[in-house]
Amino acid sequence: MANIRVSASKKATVIILLLLFLVVGGTGGYLLWRVNQEKTVAPTDSEAGGDICCCPGGNIQNCDDYPWSEYDECICTNGWCPTVPHCSQQCVKGSDCNSQTNCEWPAVAYCAMGKCECKSSNNGCNPDYSPCNPTCPSGYSPCTGTGCTGDVKNASCTANCDGCGNKYTRTIKCNKVITPTCGDGTVNQPSEKCDPPDSPCTTATGKSSTCSFTCTCPEPIVINKCDALNAKWVTKPATTIPYGQLIPFEYVTGDTDGVQNENIIVKIDGNSTSVTKIPATGNPTNITVKGSLNGSEGVLSPGTHKLEISWNDTKGAGGVPCYAYASFTVGAAPVNTCDAQGAKWVTQPSSRVEFGKPIPFEYITGDTDGVQNVNIIVKLDGTSVPVTKIPATDNAPNITVKGTLNGSEGVLSPGNHKLEISWNDIKGAGGVPCYAYSMITVLPENPEWDIEKKALQTCVNDWTENPTSNLTYTVTITNTNTGSGAGTITSILDTLDPKVDSTKVTNISNGGVIQNGVITWNLTSPLSDFDPGESKSFTYSISVNKESFGIYENTVVATPDISSGDSSNLEASVNIEARCNVPGEPVQPDTGLFDDSKNIVILGAALLFAGLGWSWITDSFGTMKQKISYESKARFEKRVSKR
């Protein structure tokens, strides 16, 4: 009975080991097949349906099956066609042509059979009208045809069509706007009766006259002597008058023919001043005018002043002697010293402040006689700013004023600002030294920079004896500031891998030049200027022959303008392998089960240990079964012997 069990156990073991051998052998065979399989980096035509190319006669689903020799060129409409040597592509949709053609409305950038052109009808625009409206420069207005004469400028705007995004430009002509003025030699009705001034003209009554400086044609002056009958000063200002003293005056105008009451004019230093006329109306031979200076209209400043009185007679004659004047000198203002006793800065703003940073200030005003609390004035760039006064209302010998700039009142713009504090003592004296100020320079808001470098490889003549690897590099610099911090990048230096042949470097954008293995962009405005959120890209290409395939390391450094507030350079690096497929060259498939031998060894070791482990488990299980059977047999024999 025990022998039968042992035989059954060995049979099971043999079956299990046979199954394990089949699993391990099958897995190893599959691995060997995959390792030796031809490298593929993308689905084949039969797997992915092939590239779609637009050729004469319609769309071809599989480029490889089409007799390309019948045509000089076919247009790819589904990406690059690597296996078709004559298959090229310029565009797929109209917006692809935006950077390749410049079209004047109603023509827009349009893609026809993969080629870019300007098309004015059935061009994909929706709506079919131009929402782009050029604006003439200041001082110019739109014009058309023969209406565009003289100083003509063009104004244009660029936009994209709704929906498809096709680009177009719209241009209009603009004439300089000429504003009619007196003296331009042209009579502009109805404001002018003649032009230019001093030229002969005819009045409304048909009389010959001379054009006035306002381009009107006045009636000729009636020759009539203004004799100033009985005209005289009744109260004439003294030649010297103390500062602030009231200055009364009174004068009698006169003429034999009568004085034109409404044409009596009184001026002080060329400015009209109010007077009382006696009589107030009518045109008698004598009219009295009287008034006062240094009154409600203000106090005259120290120095020389001139009071003038002029009038006409009723027949229109004026001028000397229908004129009188009085010159006088106002003395110096009374002196009351504002000694600013104890006045000082407690917290004076820094002369240079970062943009947006709070600017606290504190100043102690002072005067021996006491400071007029209500007349303390604090201004920033001529505009009052709120402050705290200590004490708040009393007229103390010293009063502290304190506040903060760049707070709730708003943030100061970059540039120079002036904080001023002025006060009077209780006797009214102000000015120097009852005045203090502080100049503040707010630094420009710093830009925030980001630099990125990308590299892309494409192969030309892939799977031939002499393939070429094209490396396309793009450097993108972005001012990530979201406020008002504009910035400037002065230069970009891109150091190439030493393996690069400088003669193979092409398509350097934005005026970059290569010398000694370094591409340099020395930027000037507007290319160097970056508004908040603005990005700009700089590109170039490198062609690598088969003999130079390998890893290409590359570093770019951009230098911001120091005056922008950030002197640290921007740096980015990128590594890329230049490699294409050559017939007969062994390769490992990037898309296979394993991309390197390390993974294969690990899986093989795992399977080996699994097999050994299973064998040990089955052997141990068989030994245990034999031991149990032997012990059971011994106990049975012992019981039999006792009987």
Side-chain angles (χ1 to χ4, degrees):
M1 180 176 181
N3 292 332
I4 295 175
R5 291 178 182 173
V6 171
S7 298
S9 173
K10 289 182 178 180
K11 183 178 181 181
T13 301
V14 170
I15 293 173
I16 292 172
L17 289 176
L18 179 60
L19 291 175
L20 180 60
F21 174 80
L22 292 175
V23 171
V24 174
T27 303
Y30 176 74
L31 289 174
L32 291 175
W33 174 76
R34 289 298 286 162
V35 167
N36 293 296
Q37 187 181 19
E38 182 180 357
K39 179 178 180 180
T40 58
V41 296
T44 63
D45 287 344
S46 62
E47 294 170 340
D51 294 297
I52 299 175
C53 299
C54 182
C55 303
N59 290 334
I60 306 305
Q61 296 302 315
N62 192 329
C63 294
D64 296 338
D65 296 337
Y66 196 83
W68 302 106
S69 58
E70 297 182 12
Y71 304 103
D72 293 334
E73 182 174 322
C74 295
I75 308 304
C76 291
T77 61
N78 190 24
W80 176 55
C81 299
T83 60
V84 183
H86 296 291
C87 192
S88 62
Q89 177 181 4
Q90 185 179 13
C91 60
V92 175
K93 53 185 182 300
S95 59
D96 294 342
C97 299
N98 289 350
S99 61
Q100 302 186 46
T101 181
N102 186 23
C103 303
E104 184 70 24
W105 182 262
V108 303
Y110 189 81
C111 181
M113 292 296 291
K115 301 295 183 180
C116 292
E117 64 181 36
C118 293
K119 192 173 183 182
S120 59
S121 62
N122 296 325
N123 53 22
C125 276
N126 182 27
D128 57 2
Y129 63 88
S130 169
C132 173
N133 294 310
T135 301
C136 288
S138 177
Y140 289 77
S141 62
C143 65
T144 57
T146 58
C148 296
T149 59
D151 188 355
V152 178
K153 291 185 176 181
N154 289 337
S156 63
C157 63
T158 301
N160 295 345
C161 294
D162 291 345
C164 60
N166 294 18
K167 183 179 178 182
Y168 64 87
T169 300
R170 185 180 178 192
T171 304
I172 62 172
K173 293 185 178 296
C174 305
N175 254 354
K176 186 173 182 61
V177 178
I178 300 176
T179 303
T181 58
C182 179
D184 60 10
T186 301
V187 178
N188 302 298
Q189 298 291 346
S191 60
E192 297 178 355
K193 302 300 181 185
C194 55
D195 201 335
D198 295 328
S199 61
C201 64
T202 302
T203 67
T205 60
K207 299 177 182 178
S208 296
S209 184
T210 301
C211 189
S212 70
F213 70 94
T214 60
C215 290
T216 60
C217 191
E219 294 292 331
I221 298 175
V222 177
I223 299 176
N224 175 47
K225 183 180 180 180
C226 179
D227 53 29
L229 178 66
N230 297 324
K232 61 180 180 179
W233 282 102
V234 177
T235 303
K236 186 177 182 179
T239 55
T240 302
I241 299 172
Y243 177 85
Q245 178 178 301
L246 190 66
I247 309 174
F249 64 89
E250 183 176 344
Y251 187 86
V252 178
T253 65
D255 190 84
T256 302
D257 298 322
V259 176
Q260 287 184 343
N261 199 312
E262 63 180 5
N263 286 331
I264 297 175
I265 300 172
V266 181
K267 293 183 177 182
I268 178 71
D269 299 331
N271 298 313
S272 296
T273 186
S274 58
V275 293
T276 300
K277 300 177 184 179
I278 305 172
T281 59
N283 302 318
T285 55
N286 294 102
I287 299 176
T288 299
V289 292
K290 57 192 303 184
S292 296
L293 305 176
N294 275 347
S296 59
E297 296 185 5
V299 177
L300 297 178
S301 62
T304 302
H305 300 271
K306 188 175 185 180
L307 176 66
E308 299 174 282
I309 303 171
S310 61
W311 67 96
N312 290 342
D313 71 7
T314 55
K315 293 184 178 180
V320 180
C322 284
Y323 172 81
Y325 74 94
S327 294
F328 56 91
T329 300
V330 174
V335 177
N336 177 37
T337 302
C338 176
D339 55 29
Q341 182 68 36
K344 64 179 180 178
W345 283 104
V346 177
T347 303
Q348 184 174 6
S350 173
S351 60
R352 292 171 64 84
V353 180
E354 294 180 9
F355 178 86
K357 184 177 180 180
I359 309 174
F361 65 90
E362 183 175 346
Y363 188 85
I364 299 175
T365 65
D367 189 81
T368 303
D369 298 324
V371 176
Q372 285 184 339
N373 198 308
V374 71
N375 284 333
I376 298 175
I377 299 173
V378 181
K379 291 185 177 182
L380 177 69
D381 300 332
T383 301
S384 296
V385 296
V387 294
T388 299
K389 299 178 184 178
I390 306 172
T393 57
D394 295 340
N395 298 329
N398 293 104
I399 299 176
T400 299
V401 292
K402 58 192 304 185
T404 301
L405 307 176
N406 273 348
S408 59
E409 300 293 317
V411 177
L412 297 182
S413 60
N416 296 325
H417 300 272
K418 189 175 185 180
L419 177 66
E420 301 174 280
I421 304 173
S422 62
W423 67 96
N424 291 343
D425 71 8
I426 57 176
K427 293 184 178 180
V432 179
C434 284
Y435 174 80
Y437 74 93
S438 182
M439 295 301 299
I440 306 168
T441 298
V442 176
L443 301 177
E445 184 179 3
N446 290 340
E448 298 173 9
W449 298 109
D450 179 71
I451 186 170
E452 180 184 37
K453 182 161 190 178
K454 293 183 178 180
L456 175 66
Q457 183 209 231
T458 57
C459 287
V460 178
N461 297 327
D462 201 17
W463 291 107
T464 65
E465 291 298 332
N466 294 295
T468 301
S469 173
N470 287 336
L471 305 181
T472 301
Y473 291 87
T474 301
V475 178
T476 302
I477 299 176
T478 304
N479 178 5
T480 59
N481 184 284
T482 58
S484 60
T488 301
I489 298 295
T490 58
S491 66
I492 303 173
L493 275 69
D494 200 324
T495 303
L496 306 179
D497 191 289
K499 297 189 294 296
V500 172
D501 182 355
S502 296
T503 62
K504 300 292 186 178
V505 180
T506 59
N507 300 324
I508 304 176
S509 68
N510 300 313
V513 295
I514 182 170
Q515 186 175 10
N516 298 327
V518 178
I519 299 177
T520 302
W521 287 273
N522 290 316
L523 306 183
T524 58
S525 183
L527 186 60
S528 62
D529 302 334
F530 287 74
D531 291 331
E534 184 176 10
S535 294
K536 295 181 182 179
S537 294
F538 304 82
T539 60
Y540 62 93
S541 300
I542 300 175
S543 180
V544 181
N545 294 333
K546 179 181 68 174
E547 295 76 11
S548 301
F549 283 174
I551 300 297
Y552 281 76
E553 300 178 353
N554 184 276
T555 300
V556 63
V557 176
T559 303
D561 186 1
I562 296 178
S563 63
S564 67
D566 185 359
S567 59
S568 58
N569 290 336
L570 313 175
E571 184 173 326
S573 299
V574 67
N575 296 341
I576 188 170
E577 182 178 10
R579 180 165 300 280
C580 298
N581 297 304
V582 178
E585 185 177 88
V587 295
Q588 292 182 357
D590 292 339
T591 57
L593 182 60
F594 300 101
D595 294 332
D596 54 41
S597 59
K598 180 176 70 174
N599 292 336
I600 297 174
V601 171
I602 291 173
L603 181 59
L607 292 173
L608 179 60
F609 282 118
L612 293 175
W614 178 257
S615 177
W616 177 83
I617 291 172
T618 56
D619 290 343
S620 299
F621 182 73
T623 302
M624 184 179 294
K625 287 172 62 179
Q626 290 178 4
K627 184 176 182 181
I628 293 172
S629 177
Y630 176 81
E631 290 177 353
S632 177
K633 181 179 180 180
R635 286 194 299 272
F636 175 78
E637 291 176 350
K638 184 181 291 186
R639 286 196 301 271
V640 171
S641 63
K642 287 181 179 181
R643 292 180 182 179

